[in-house]
Structure formats: structure tokens, C-alpha cells
């Protein structure tokens, strides 16, 4: 048996749509059901997708939910939530983001003094960002009902501790206890947009603050293969988009995380948005009107990536059907799509 990890990165509402398109393509073209991953790591938008997979929602229903199509009988456990359209949030208010910044906390100063080599200005800045006004916990509460209060096996939800920016992965043995709903809410708590989520008297913020993917927490899991879906980066590295610096930074960080996994002999396949998916996603991660187009482009791009010869070889242990595997690269492959192999 091939021990497989699935990493689902941050990316807002369009990121969830990208996850849905990629995972639906893997299910359709390879017959691989993402619910079968031995370990799932979710950050921000990826925490929602990961939680739904662990609750038994099939990839096809994730795509159906994103585009407003009917769900299958397999999604009964959370049907009361998923039959509603994904929540809509107000546009990001730049003015409110300019007010309310705080001084560094003593915990952040102490952590920096102890580990100066690990200091990252972007992470430190997010711990001082103004608190948003939207309480996201009201949107995640149904997850606790669906999970019956139990933490799903093999699910890690990444968050950042607000006081010092340290990463916490709920679900790991070393992490504090949390409900699934509170952990997902914390992982999605974008600084300046959502209010931080308090769990056990500690405030947490978006898991993407530490890393858009957090793939490197799988280093000790002894996995044969890790599949990374990274909505916030770009396959070309530095795309020709307005958010290019952000996507390039996410791409570079993912490269470092992949190297750490490969040093241990773990094979990695990654899916990052290509040109058409980037155009569909736009620059507003919380745009709820782009989901259908994003799902479609992600589905097509993921199928093209999976047909590349080197990727086909890595994914072969997961294949249960479809004879096109092993035929080599698809003639319509986009050469700009980089895949780590």
C-alpha cells in the first residue's frame, strides 16, 4: 500500500473552488478518491475542504457545492449546511485595515530573541494586524454536529497563534484540544478581515499566515507520496497577474517545503494554478461569483498535469481505472505548468 498525504492550501473561496476542481479531476481521471488519503493537512480554505473530505463528502460533491449543483446521497451528514450556497462576505475594507495595528507582543519579542534565524517579518506583521469585524465561527458550527464532536482521524488543521505567530496543527498529538468547528474557523480567520478565534484561552489566526500550504509538517509521517494543492501560488512561479508578488512568495515557500519532504525520500506531486485558472480566480480570494469558472479551469488543468509522463508514474499506485495513464504527455499540455517530481 502506498501511504499518501494530501495537502490543501489556503486561498479563500476561490481556493476552495480550486481544490474542488483538482480533486474532482483526480477522482474522474484516475479513480483516486481524496477521502482515501492517509493524512490530510488543511490550511485556511484547505481546512474546510479537508474537514469535508474527512466527514465523508466525495470530491464530486465538493465541486457540485462550489457551482451550486445538487449533491449526492453521500453528503447527507452535512446536507443541511451544504445545500445552502457558500457564505458571501463583504468586500475587503482597506480603510479599516489601516487602523488598529498593535505593538509586538512580549511573546513575539521573546520568541524572536530565542530563535532570531526563524524570524519572518510577514508573520510578525500579521500578529499585529487589526482585528477584523466578522465572526467566522457562526459559519463553521455545523461541522461539530456532522462530526458528532469527535476529531476525524488523520486530519491536521493548521493555524497560527496570534501572540507569537507560531504554527499549531490541531489534530496532532502535540497540539491542544479543539473542536473541528473551532479549529476550521481559526484556520480561516484572515487577519484584518475575520476576528481571531479563541480556543482554550488562546487566540488563533489564519493558518496561511505561517505558510499557504504547511506541507512540511508531514515530514515525520513516513509517507510514500504527498499530493499538494496550492491555490495561492502559481505554476509559472511569477505570473503576469496583479497579485504576482504574493503568488511568487507562496510558490517559493512551497518549493522549500517540498525539498524538505523529498530529502526524506517522499515523492511529491503539486497542483498550482496555471494561466487560465489564475485568470478565473482573479485577485479577490473571497469572490463567491467565480467558483464555477475556477472549478472548470482547475479540473482541466489538473487533468493535463496528471497526464504528464513523470507525474503519471508517481500517481500510478493510486490509479484504479482509466486506460490513458501510461500513454505519456497529453498533446495539449501547457508547458508553463511546473510540477515537482
Amino acid at each position: 500500500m502506498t501511504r499518501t498525504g494530501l495537502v490543501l492550501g489556503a486561498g479563500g473561496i476561490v481556493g476552495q473552488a480550486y481544490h474542488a476542481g483538482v480533486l474532482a479531476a483526480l477522482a474522474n481521471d484516475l479513480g483516486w478518491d481524496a477521502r482515501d488519503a492517509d493524512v490530510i493537512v488543511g490550511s485556511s480554505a484547505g481546512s474546510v475542504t479537508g474537514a469535508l473530505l474527512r466527514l465523508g463528502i466525495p470530491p464530486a460533491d465538493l465541486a457540485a457545492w462550489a457551482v451550486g449543483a445538487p449533491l449526492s446521497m453521500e453528503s447527507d451528514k452535512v446536507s443541511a449546511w451544504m445545500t445552502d450556497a457558500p457564505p458571501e462576505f463583504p468586500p475587503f475594507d482597506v480603510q479599516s485595515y489601516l487602523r488598529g495595528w498593535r505593538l509586538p507582543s512580549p511573546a513575539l519579542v521573546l520568541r524572536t530573541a530565542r530563535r532570531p534565524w526563524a524570524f519572518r517579518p510577514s508573520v510578525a506583521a500579521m500578529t499585529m494586524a487589526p482585528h477584523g469585524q466578522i465572526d467566522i465561527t457562526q459559519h463553521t458550527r455545523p461541522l461539530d454536529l456532522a462530526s458528532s464532536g469527535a476529531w476525524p482521524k488523520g486530519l491536521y488543521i493548521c493555524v497560527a497563534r496570534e501572540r507569537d505567530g507560531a504554527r499549531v496543527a490541531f489534530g496532532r498529538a502535540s497540539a491542544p484540544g479543539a473542536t473541528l468547528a473551532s479549529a476550521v474557523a481559526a484556520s480561516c480567520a484572515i487577519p484584518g478581515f475575520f476576528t481571531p478565534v479563541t480556543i482554550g484561552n488562546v487566540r488563533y489566526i489564519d493558518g496561511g499566515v505561517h505558510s499557504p500550504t504547511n506541507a512540511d509538517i508531514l515530514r515525520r509521517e513516513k509517507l510514500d507520496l504527498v499530493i499538494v494543492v496550492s491555490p495561492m501560488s502559481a505554476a509559472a512561479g511569477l505570473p503576469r497577474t496583479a497579485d504576482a508578488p504574493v503568488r511568487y512568495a507562496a510558490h517559493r515557500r512551497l518549493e522549500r517545503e517540498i525539498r524538505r519532504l523529498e530529502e526524506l525520500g517522499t515523492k511529491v506531486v503539486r497542483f498550482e494554478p496555471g494561466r487560465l485558472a489564475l485568470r478565473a480566480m482573479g485577485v479577490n480570494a473571497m469572490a463567491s461569483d467565480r467558483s464555477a469558472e475556477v472549478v472548470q479551469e482547475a479540473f482541466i488543468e489538473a487533468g493535463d498535469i496528471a497526464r504528464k509522463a513523470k507525474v503519471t508514474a508517481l500517481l500510478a499506485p493510486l490509479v484504479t481505472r482509466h486506460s490513458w495513464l501510461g500513454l505519456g504527455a497529453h498533446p495539449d499540455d501547457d508547458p508553463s505548468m511546473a510540477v515537482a517530481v
Side-chain angles (χ1 to χ4, degrees):
M1 295 291 291
T2 299
R3 278 185 51 78
T4 307
L6 175 63
V7 176
L8 300 165
I13 292 176
V14 297
Q16 285 178 240
Y18 184 78
H19 292 148
V22 171
L23 299 180
L26 293 178
N28 183 75
D29 295 352
L30 275 70
W32 182 67
D33 192 325
R35 294 175 294 180
D36 293 335
D38 293 278
V39 184
I40 297 177
V41 176
S43 303
S44 198
S47 71
V48 177
T49 304
L52 292 176
L53 287 171
R54 280 298 189 243
L55 290 175
I57 308 305
D61 277 359
L62 294 177
W65 184 45
V67 303
L71 305 180
S72 72
M73 296 291 289
E74 291 185 86
S75 297
D76 281 349
K77 288 181 69 175
V78 290
S79 60
W81 183 41
M82 291 184 68
T83 49
D84 295 330
E88 293 189 14
F89 299 105
F92 186 76
D93 183 2
V94 177
Q95 292 298 320
S96 64
Y97 197 67
L98 297 177
R99 299 186 298 270
W101 285 78
R102 303 178 303 282
L103 293 173
S105 69
L108 176 61
V109 173
L110 181 60
R111 184 167 184 259
T112 302
R114 287 176 172 173
R115 304 181 64 209
W117 61 87
F119 177 75
R120 291 162 55 200
S122 60
V123 175
M126 290 298 95
T127 68
M128 298 181 284
H131 291 166
Q133 302 301 310
I134 304 172
D135 179 8
I136 195 173
T137 59
Q138 60 183 311
H139 298 289
T140 63
R141 287 171 189 151
L143 293 175
D144 280 346
L145 295 175
S147 64
S148 300
W151 188 270
K153 182 180 179 181
L155 175 66
Y156 299 155
I157 300 298
C158 294
V159 301
R161 206 162 50 205
E162 188 193 44
R163 65 172 182 252
D164 59 3
R167 176 172 63 191
V168 174
F170 289 114
R172 298 180 81 177
S174 59
T179 66
L180 182 61
S182 61
V184 169
S187 189
C188 294
I190 303 170
F193 193 75
F194 295 115
T195 57
V197 175
T198 301
I199 301 174
N201 297 321
V202 178
R203 284 199 301 237
Y204 297 97
I205 54 178
D206 197 297
V209 165
H210 185 274
S211 164
T213 42
N214 292 294
D216 55 341
I217 72 167
L218 291 176
R219 293 180 74 241
R220 299 180 181 179
E221 296 296 326
K222 298 180 180 179
L223 298 170
D224 301 300
L225 174 66
V226 170
I227 297 172
V228 182
V229 186
S230 177
M232 278 192 66
S233 57
L238 184 63
R240 296 180 179 179
T241 58
D243 57 353
V246 174
R247 291 192 175 278
Y248 181 66
H251 176 84
R252 289 293 301 274
R253 181 149 194 89
L254 177 56
E255 296 246 307
R256 291 192 291 271
E257 294 173 359
I258 287 175
R259 283 197 295 271
R260 296 188 72 189
L261 290 171
E262 291 180 329
E263 287 170 356
L264 301 174
T266 302
K267 303 298 183 182
V268 181
V269 174
R270 65 179 167 192
F271 293 88
E272 299 176 276
R275 178 175 55 85
L276 296 180
L278 288 173
R279 186 172 67 184
M281 296 169 85
V283 296
N284 178 11
M286 304 306 290
S288 58
D289 60 342
R290 292 178 171 267
S291 293
E293 186 179 359
V294 173
V295 169
Q296 176 178 319
E297 297 300 343
F299 185 93
I300 295 171
E301 288 186 356
D304 288 343
I305 291 173
R307 280 187 284 267
K308 292 179 182 292
K310 290 183 178 180
V311 181
T312 294
L314 292 178
L315 296 178
L318 306 181
V319 176
T320 58
R321 59 185 174 85
H322 284 266
S323 60
W324 56 258
L325 286 171
L327 297 179
H330 191 277
D332 295 332
D333 281 349
D334 183 348
S336 70
M337 291 184 187
V339 180
V341 295

